Amino acid sequence: MRGEGVQVDFAETTATSTGAKASRKRRSANRMPVWMLFPTLFLLLLIIVVPFLIAVYTSLIDLNQYTLIHWVRAPFVGLGNFIDALKQGSALGASALRSVWVSVSFSLVTTAIITPVGVMAALMVNKPFRGRKWIRALFLLPYVLPVFVIALVWRLLFLNGTGLIDQVLSWLHIANKSTYWLIGPHTFWAMVIADAWGSWPFIYLMVLAALQGISTDQYESAYMDGAGPVRSFFSITVPNIRSILGLAVLLSTLNHFNNFTLPFIMFGTPPSPQADVLPLNVYITSFQTFNFGLGAAMSIITLIIMMIPAIFYIRMLKIGEGATR
């Protein structure tokens, strides 16, 4: 009996020890290996955080071609660069305040044009029909072209007198052959037209992806209740694509606001004041007038402006998720 008791105690002890070891193994398996994140954190620190801190420091000093060799000991001017950016311009570029207005107008107008175009294109190819895959591929053609190619093509189309745009407008008796799209007040609309042609498929792709996730049962139920196409669109389609469409509009607006390649290729430097967007102004200030402190201040202003709609959208998204719970 005593031997049996010893065996039972030994078995219970062994089982307890085995269970404790298994529990420790499960906890160690579920524990995140934090050390594996160190390479990623190091790269983020090296690529994002360090350049950002250098840009902030540069925006607070008077760094130009004369003080660049001793940039650590460059005169500290505080917010002077930010004040100069909003007040003064130069012979090569407008003030940052004017460029902000041009960039905001350009991004809002372009997004307002491409949003209904993208939604209508997505609705057009959402339902199956013969040749749909070819139409979908054709719609993606402007989006797969590089931005500099689009800029070069539209620069040729907008050439004064010999460009196709002037030829067509003259043939239709809408304007003469000397409209001057690449200089003067018409540069803004030339930039809007070129960017709208190349960027509307982004809205189309996002909305089409959202439409593919809507169940056909909802439309069938609405049809049984007597709802027509217009009522179904506003009662079913719009609520289902609202969040995706809002994200697409936000990303599109930020992309247009930060567009540098298209105006740089189309108009060169310095551009007309109507096409002097903020990213192009930052480039001119930093690498043509060599006022790196002022250019860094303009870059910080650009970052702050781009963060405003993103924070607003995230805030509205959280409010929407809280209301649906």
Side-chain angles (χ1 to χ4, degrees):
M1 295 296 291
R2 184 178 299 177
E4 292 178 358
V6 172
Q7 291 179 358
V8 171
D9 293 340
F10 178 76
E12 291 178 354
T13 304
T14 305
T16 303
S17 177
T18 304
K21 290 181 180 179
S23 179
R24 284 196 298 268
K25 288 182 179 180
R26 284 194 298 268
R27 285 198 299 268
S28 62
N30 294 329
R31 189 179 302 157
M32 180 182 296
V34 180
W35 61 270
M36 296 183 66
L37 298 176
F38 289 163
T40 303
L41 294 176
F42 174 75
L43 290 177
L44 289 175
L45 182 69
L46 184 65
I47 297 174
I48 298 178
V49 178
V50 173
F52 174 74
L53 295 178
I54 294 175
V56 172
Y57 174 73
T58 304
S59 67
L60 301 176
I61 60 177
D62 185 17
L63 186 64
N64 49 48
Q65 68 268 35
Y66 304 108
T67 59
L68 182 61
I69 190 171
H70 301 294
W71 69 276
V72 178
R73 298 193 298 271
F76 183 80
V77 295
L79 299 179
N81 286 325
F82 293 90
I83 297 174
D84 292 340
L86 298 176
K87 284 185 177 181
Q88 70 180 18
S90 64
L92 295 179
S95 66
L97 190 60
R98 179 179 177 85
S99 294
V100 167
W101 170 248
V102 173
S103 293
V104 170
S105 303
F106 168 62
S107 58
L108 293 179
V109 171
T110 306
T111 304
I113 292 174
I114 68 173
T115 299
V117 174
V119 171
M120 288 189 293
L123 292 172
M124 184 187 305
V125 298
N126 184 39
K127 295 183 178 180
F129 61 88
R130 188 172 182 179
R132 182 177 66 163
K133 62 179 181 179
W134 299 107
I135 300 297
R136 285 184 172 182
L138 184 63
F139 283 171
L140 291 177
L141 181 60
Y143 195 63
V144 299
L145 293 176
V147 178
F148 73 91
V149 174
I150 296 174
L152 286 175
V153 170
W154 281 98
R155 180 180 174 88
L156 294 176
L157 292 176
F158 281 122
L159 282 177
N160 182 49
T162 59
L164 181 62
I165 302 297
D166 278 355
Q167 297 286 341
V168 172
L169 292 178
S170 176
W171 180 70
L172 295 175
H173 302 287
I174 297 176
N176 55 39
K177 292 184 179 181
S178 298
T179 308
Y180 293 102
W181 292 96
L182 300 178
I183 57 174
H186 295 100
T187 52
F188 177 82
W189 293 108
M191 183 170 57
V192 168
I193 293 171
D195 197 27
W197 183 86
S199 60
W200 70 266
F202 174 73
I203 302 290
Y204 153 73
L205 279 175
M206 297 285 284
V207 174
L208 182 62
L211 290 175
Q212 296 294 309
I214 302 177
S215 175
T216 57
D217 296 339
Q218 300 184 43
Y219 293 103
E220 293 175 358
S221 300
Y223 177 77
M224 296 296 294
D225 292 338
V230 177
R231 181 64 180 276
S232 298
F233 174 75
F234 287 102
S235 299
I236 299 175
T237 306
V238 173
N240 280 280
I241 68 173
R242 182 179 300 159
S243 59
I244 298 298
L245 182 60
L247 178 61
V249 169
L250 172 65
L251 295 178
S252 176
T253 304
L254 295 178
N255 183 55
H256 299 318
F257 184 88
N258 205 34
N259 196 334
F260 166 81
T261 305
L262 188 130
F264 178 75
I265 299 297
M266 284 188 66
F267 310 115
T269 56
S272 298
Q274 293 80 5
D276 195 1
V277 294
L278 189 55
L280 190 56
N281 197 349
V282 172
Y283 170 80
I284 294 173
T285 303
S286 300
F287 301 107
Q288 291 192 356
T289 63
F290 301 105
N291 195 338
F292 300 104
L294 185 60
M298 289 184 177
S299 300
I300 300 299
I301 293 173
T302 304
L303 177 63
I304 294 173
I305 294 175
M306 293 180 66
M307 287 176 61
I308 293 174
I311 295 174
F312 176 76
Y313 175 79
I314 294 173
R315 175 71 176 173
M316 295 301 297
L317 188 62
K318 289 182 177 179
I319 293 175
E321 290 178 353
T324 56
R325 290 178 180 176

